[in-house]
């Protein structure tokens, strides 16, 4: 029993000495250990390239008037007027070299009633 007490006391003394050494090192020895020998590297790299854009892509959506929004069918003469107007706008865009290729479409708008699709306008 006395042998166990001596071993425990010896282990406790070694532990206290170890902790005291760690505290002494942290408080007194390590404070300014690398302050004069510290290395820092900083580098800022900036790269820029100037260019002129040569392509542009756009989708333009035109809404119809209230009169066309409520028509289920477009009369042939009205369709010709709409087509001629849109063709003039496309030709103007092509001639001014804003656009090189363009298309348009006239689509009906629908509503649904009990699963049935009904044309409500253009």
């Amino acid at each position: 029993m006395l042998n166990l007490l001596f071993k425990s006391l010896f282990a406790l003394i070694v532990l206290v000495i170890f902790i005291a050494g760690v505290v002494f090192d942290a408080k007194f020895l390590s404070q300014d250990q690398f302050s004069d020998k510290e290395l820092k590297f900083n580098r800022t790299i900036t790269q820029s390239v100037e260019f002129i854009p040569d392509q542009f892509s756009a989708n333009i959506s035109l809404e119809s008037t209230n009169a066309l929004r409520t028509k289920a069918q477009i009369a042939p003469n009205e369709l010709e007027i709409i087509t001629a107007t849109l063709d003039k706008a496309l030709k103007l865009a092509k001639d001014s070299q804003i656009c090189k290729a363009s298309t348009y479409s006239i689509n009906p708008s629908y509503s649904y009633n009990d699963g049935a699709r009904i044309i409500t306008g253009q």
Side-chain angles (χ1 to χ4, degrees), residues 20-40:
V22 170
V23 170
F24 180 78
D25 181 55
K27 290 286 185 184
F28 300 109
L29 299 179
S30 297
Q31 273 184 334
D32 292 332
Q33 186 175 2
F34 297 108
S35 64
D36 295 337
K37 300 175 185 173
E38 213 170 271
L39 294 175
K40 291 184 181 180

Side-chain angles (χ1 to χ4, degrees), residues 1 5 36 49 56 68 76 85 102 113:
M1 180 77 174
L5 183 63
D36 295 337
V49 175
F56 177 75
L68 280 177
T85 304
S102 57
N113 188 9

Side-chain angles (χ1 to χ4, degrees), residues 14 35 43 55 57 62 72 81 83 85 105 109 118 122:
V14 169
S35 64
R43 177 173 283 176
Q55 290 185 357
S57 177
L62 303 174
I81 294 170
T83 303
T85 304
S105 63
S109 56
I118 301 167
Q122 303 296 322

Side-chain angles (χ1 to χ4, degrees), residues 59-73:
N59 293 322
I60 299 171
S61 176
L62 303 174
E63 296 281 328
S64 62
T65 63
N66 285 333
L68 280 177
R69 282 188 206 143
T70 57
K71 281 189 170 189
Q73 295 293 325

Side-chain angles (χ1 to χ4, degrees), residues 64-117:
S64 62
T65 63
N66 285 333
L68 280 177
R69 282 188 206 143
T70 57
K71 281 189 170 189
Q73 295 293 325
I74 299 176
N77 61 343
E78 290 175 325
L79 187 58
E80 288 176 13
I81 294 170
I82 293 169
T83 303
T85 304
L86 291 175
D87 285 339
K88 285 180 190 176
L90 293 178
K91 185 177 181 326
L92 177 65
K94 285 180 185 178
D95 291 345
S96 64
Q97 295 184 351
I98 294 173
C99 295
K100 292 187 178 179
S102 57
T103 60
Y104 66 88
S105 63
I106 300 172
N107 300 315
S109 56
Y110 300 99
S111 68
Y112 293 89
N113 188 9
D114 294 329
R117 187 169 77 168

